Amino acid sequence: MKTLLINRNFRCMWGSEFLSILNGRFRELVIPLVVLGLTSSPLVTALVALSQQIGTILFAIPIGTWVENKNKVRVAGVCHFLYGTGIFILAFLIATNNVNAVIIASLLFVMGLLALISRTAFTSMIPAVAGRGNLLRAHTNIEAADAIATVIGPALGGVLLAKTDSVLTLVICAVLSLLSAIFIAFIRNAEEFKKIETKESEKNKLNAFLGKSLDGLKILIDNPQQLISTLVMCILGFTTVFITLTIIFYARITMELSEGLIGILLSSAGVGNIAGIFLINKFKHKNWVTLISLLMVISGIGIVMITATDTFLIMCIGMAIFDCALSMAFIVQGAVHQGITPDEFLSRVRSSTYVISGIFTMLGTFLAGAIPELFDGKIALIVGACILLIPAFILISYEKFGVKLSKVEPIYRKRKV
């Protein structure tokens, strides 16, 4: 970890990612509560949140192929800047009382596209900046940024929202996005992260572009390791958005907690996240399939704890356990996914997984609103626990396809690309 942090380019990436995640933690609390206040409906709130994920399904594959041949530093920086501008616009509309659920959904759709582009560019830079031999450590560092932001963000956002209003909180989000763009701009030797097009693509750019785009999906079914990695990504993506939004609805509607207490509950996840950062390196010699299965089981137990109690302290502990195991699973999955994918396919394969996992993320967002609307928050939390526990026990039987985390290496395709 220390070696990576003294790498100037990686340090800039880490700073940008930390500010971006902190921005996200503020918005995850503020925007649902704003929409819930406008509509009084968990389902409508979920549908509004869903709008920022639609672009992933529609455009992730072509965006991944497009990013391959672009200056990734410039692309990520511009997207962060435009994203901050979008948040400023949203804050202005709320301040002037010219906002409704449709306007918020439209803005979130555009901002979701910008986030998709910047995320694709950012992720494809990691192996080049950190080195393939340091992928586990690189993803651990990035997860550390997530952990720190998760500890600080929801609690601070809840206090700001309770003491001031949503406008000021959103303005702070916009500033964080602009600062994130500045950190990205400090990355040097940007030409190393730009891929030069081949002569074949110059002759027939459209056919080559479409071929590369579809190729990312084909690679995902080339071997069992890619299939398992993608399945885990879908489960983790579903669970993250589903549980976060469900917890907000459950705490606000069922438990009748204040904004500040909701923020503290969500920040408890960050405490568990930090614990996961310190624990993950102890498992680098474990079979990655077995490890992910075990982490999903532990994470599911954390959700069960939240469901089974009305005591706020125990809910916080359950939230910490849930996110401790989940964050470790994200680290393992991210490192394995990039580790088994050859360099030349990173962008297009990553964008393909965005499409597939995006479908599950949208499903998670919708169900997080639909289930509490039709039943109650506890039923929704039980569903979330089952989504983790059932696949985890099934995955254990596929241990033979895994290797030690420290032994993960690219798996090249048998057929010519």
Side-chain angles (χ1 to χ4, degrees):
M1 184 180 294
K2 182 178 178 181
T3 303
L4 289 173
L5 287 178
I6 61 174
N7 177 314
R8 185 183 184 283
N9 284 336
F10 188 84
R11 189 161 61 245
C12 290
M13 289 181 68
W14 191 93
S16 175
E17 183 71 354
F18 169 72
L19 293 173
S20 180
I21 296 172
L22 184 60
N23 174 6
R25 295 297 174 263
F26 278 9
R27 288 182 292 101
E28 284 172 3
L29 178 64
V30 176
I31 293 180
L33 290 179
V34 168
V35 180
L36 190 61
L38 288 172
T39 65
S40 300
S41 170
L43 180 57
V44 174
T45 303
L47 291 175
V48 171
L50 197 67
S51 62
Q52 63 188 325
Q53 298 158 8
I54 295 175
T56 300
I57 306 300
L58 298 177
F59 302 110
I61 290 179
I63 283 174
T65 306
W66 177 77
V67 165
E68 279 187 345
N69 297 312
K70 301 299 178 183
N71 185 312
K72 298 176 180 61
V73 173
R74 188 177 303 157
V75 167
V78 170
C79 287
H80 279 299
F81 176 81
L82 294 176
Y83 196 98
T85 303
I87 300 177
F88 271 126
I89 293 172
L90 179 58
F92 174 77
L93 292 174
I94 292 175
T96 56
N97 294 319
N98 291 315
V99 71
N100 56 42
V102 175
I103 292 175
I104 295 176
S106 301
L107 272 172
L108 290 180
F109 172 76
V110 176
M111 291 162 60
L113 276 178
L114 293 170
L116 170 65
I117 298 171
S118 64
R119 188 168 68 246
T120 302
F122 179 90
T123 304
S124 355
M125 287 191 289
I126 294 175
V129 173
R132 281 196 165 272
N134 290 318
L135 282 178
L136 179 62
R137 298 168 66 190
H139 282 275
T140 302
N141 274 270
I142 292 171
E143 191 65 26
D146 189 301
I148 298 171
T150 303
V151 170
I152 299 172
L156 183 57
V159 171
L160 284 171
L161 192 58
K163 300 296 183 183
T164 58
D165 54 37
S166 56
V167 174
L168 178 59
T169 308
L170 287 173
V171 168
I172 293 174
C173 289
V175 172
L176 290 173
S177 191
L178 297 180
L179 291 174
S180 184
I182 293 174
F183 268 93
I184 285 288
F186 283 147
I187 295 178
R188 294 295 177 260
N189 301 321
E191 64 275 5
E192 294 180 7
F193 313 120
K194 179 179 178 180
K195 186 176 178 179
I196 300 174
E197 295 193 25
T198 63
K199 291 182 179 180
E200 181 183 356
S201 64
E202 291 172 356
K203 293 178 180 178
N204 196 337
K205 291 185 178 181
L206 179 60
N207 288 339
F209 182 87
L210 293 175
K212 288 181 179 179
S213 298
L214 295 174
D215 205 42
L217 289 171
K218 294 176 183 177
I219 293 172
L220 292 179
I221 59 174
D222 261 5
N223 55 74
Q225 291 83 354
Q226 286 281 9
L227 283 170
I228 293 172
S229 174
T230 303
L231 173 63
V232 170
M233 175 182 284
C234 293
I235 294 170
L236 298 182
F238 175 95
T239 305
T240 299
V241 66
F242 179 81
I243 293 300
T244 300
L245 202 51
T246 298
I247 286 292
I248 292 174
F249 293 148
Y250 179 70
R252 187 66 167 177
I253 299 172
T254 305
M255 302 295 293
E256 297 182 344
L257 299 180
S258 66
E259 292 91 341
L261 288 178
I262 295 173
I264 292 173
L265 178 60
L266 294 178
S267 287
S268 300
V271 176
N273 205 333
I274 290 176
I277 299 302
F278 288 103
L279 290 173
I280 189 62
N281 283 325
K282 298 182 181 298
F283 298 97
K284 61 184 179 181
H285 298 300
K286 301 296 182 181
N287 182 296
W288 66 267
V289 175
T290 305
L291 179 58
I292 284 181
S293 302
L294 177 61
L295 292 172
M296 288 168 62
V297 170
I298 296 173
S299 188
I301 291 173
I303 300 175
V304 172
M305 288 181 62
I306 298 172
T307 308
T309 183
D310 292 328
T311 305
F312 183 72
L313 178 59
I314 298 178
M315 290 177 66
C316 290
I317 295 173
M319 196 71 183
I321 292 173
F322 158 73
D323 209 59
C324 174
L326 198 72
S327 66
M328 292 172 70
F330 266 115
I331 293 172
V332 175
Q333 190 280 327
V336 169
H337 174 73
Q338 288 196 324
I340 63 179
T341 305
D343 285 326
E344 60 268 30
F345 301 126
L346 281 172
S347 290
R348 70 186 82 164
V349 171
R350 187 65 175 179
S351 62
S352 297
T353 59
Y354 283 154
V355 173
I356 297 172
S357 65
I359 294 172
F360 285 87
T361 301
M362 290 178 66
L363 179 62
T365 303
F366 173 76
L367 291 179
I371 295 176
E373 186 93 10
L374 297 174
F375 304 101
D376 58 44
K378 283 198 174 184
I379 297 295
L381 289 173
I382 292 172
V383 170
C386 292
I387 292 296
L388 282 171
L389 293 172
I390 295 174
F393 288 117
I394 295 174
L395 280 176
I396 291 176
S397 62
Y398 292 92
E399 178 184 8
K400 63 181 180 180
F401 294 114
V403 296
K404 293 180 180 179
L405 269 175
S406 55
K407 301 295 184 181
V408 172
E409 57 185 22
I411 300 175
Y412 292 93
R413 306 178 68 183
K414 294 180 180 180
R415 61 181 181 273
K416 186 178 179 180
V417 178

